[in-house]
Structures are given as structure tokens and as C-alpha cells.
Amino acid sequence: MPFIINTAPSRPPESVHLVSDVERSILVNITPPAIQYRNGVLKGYIIYYSATSDDEPTLYNITTASTVARLSDLQVYTEYTVWVSAFSRAGTGPQSEGSKMMTQESG
């Protein structure tokens, strides 16, 4: 039987799709890395986000086991940049390229 070494995912998620469907939130849809780059069983995703226009942006993150997550309590009519990393028991893989989405206007 071959010896298998578990390592962190070697590639970021295949894609990150953002939707601003309600005021003050962004829906994040994640397509996992291709199976050959997962290097074991994925345990979930770390979603990093910040307001794009901030001079010194505060970086927030959430961890989820799902490929769909909602970022809530955001500022209205503000552009956010979102990055995602997949993780396994062995560690966290590289971040995706930043995706940008504007939250909806109030009212």
C-alpha cells in the first residue's frame, strides 16, 4: 500500500463568485480547487474580505465548511474585495485572486 502524505491544498479555489442580493451583505459562492490540487480531504474555506476603498483596510475573515457563505453587516453602497483559501487538516492553501463586489444602496 502506498504511503500518502497529506499537505495543504496547493491551489486556491477554482472560482469565487460574488452576488450582492440584499442590502448590507454579499453572497459568496466557492468552486473548490480541482481534486488533484486538494492534497487530501478539504475541511472548509477561509473567506477574507475588506472594504476596497479604505486607506488602511481592516481585514476580516470567516471560516466555513460550506461552498456558500454570506458576508453580513457590511456598509451600504461600498465595494468589498474578497479572497478565499481552502484548507485541510494539513494546513491552509493559497488565496484566490481578489474578487470585487459593491453592496446595494440603502432603501
Side-chain angles (χ1 to χ4, degrees), residues 9-21:
S10 55
R11 296 264 176 101
E14 288 284 310
S15 68
V16 176
H17 180 72
L18 307 176
V19 178
S20 179
D21 58 346

Side-chain angles (χ1 to χ4, degrees), residues 10-49:
S10 55
R11 296 264 176 101
E14 288 284 310
S15 68
V16 176
H17 180 72
L18 307 176
V19 178
S20 179
D21 58 346
V22 293
E23 184 182 299
R24 298 177 60 90
S25 78
I26 294 174
L27 188 65
V28 182
N29 294 283
I30 304 163
T31 302
I35 197 160
Q36 66 268 30
Y37 303 117
R38 295 179 191 178
N39 302 325
V41 177
L42 293 182
K43 296 292 186 184
Y45 303 91
I46 302 172
I47 302 171
Y48 309 90
Y49 62 100

Side-chain angles (χ1 to χ4, degrees), residues 9-94:
S10 55
R11 296 264 176 101
E14 288 284 310
S15 68
V16 176
H17 180 72
L18 307 176
V19 178
S20 179
D21 58 346
V22 293
E23 184 182 299
R24 298 177 60 90
S25 78
I26 294 174
L27 188 65
V28 182
N29 294 283
I30 304 163
T31 302
I35 197 160
Q36 66 268 30
Y37 303 117
R38 295 179 191 178
N39 302 325
V41 177
L42 293 182
K43 296 292 186 184
Y45 303 91
I46 302 172
I47 302 171
Y48 309 90
Y49 62 100
S50 69
T52 305
S53 62
D54 288 352
D55 290 333
E56 293 185 29
T58 301
L59 187 63
Y60 300 94
N61 72 68
I62 62 170
T63 302
T64 180
S66 175
T67 56
V68 178
R70 182 174 297 281
L71 307 179
S72 302
D73 298 322
L74 304 176
Q75 298 173 23
V76 296
Y77 202 60
T78 302
E79 183 179 71
Y80 284 84
T81 304
V82 178
W83 306 264
V84 179
S85 295
F87 68 90
S88 66
R89 190 177 71 204
T92 302

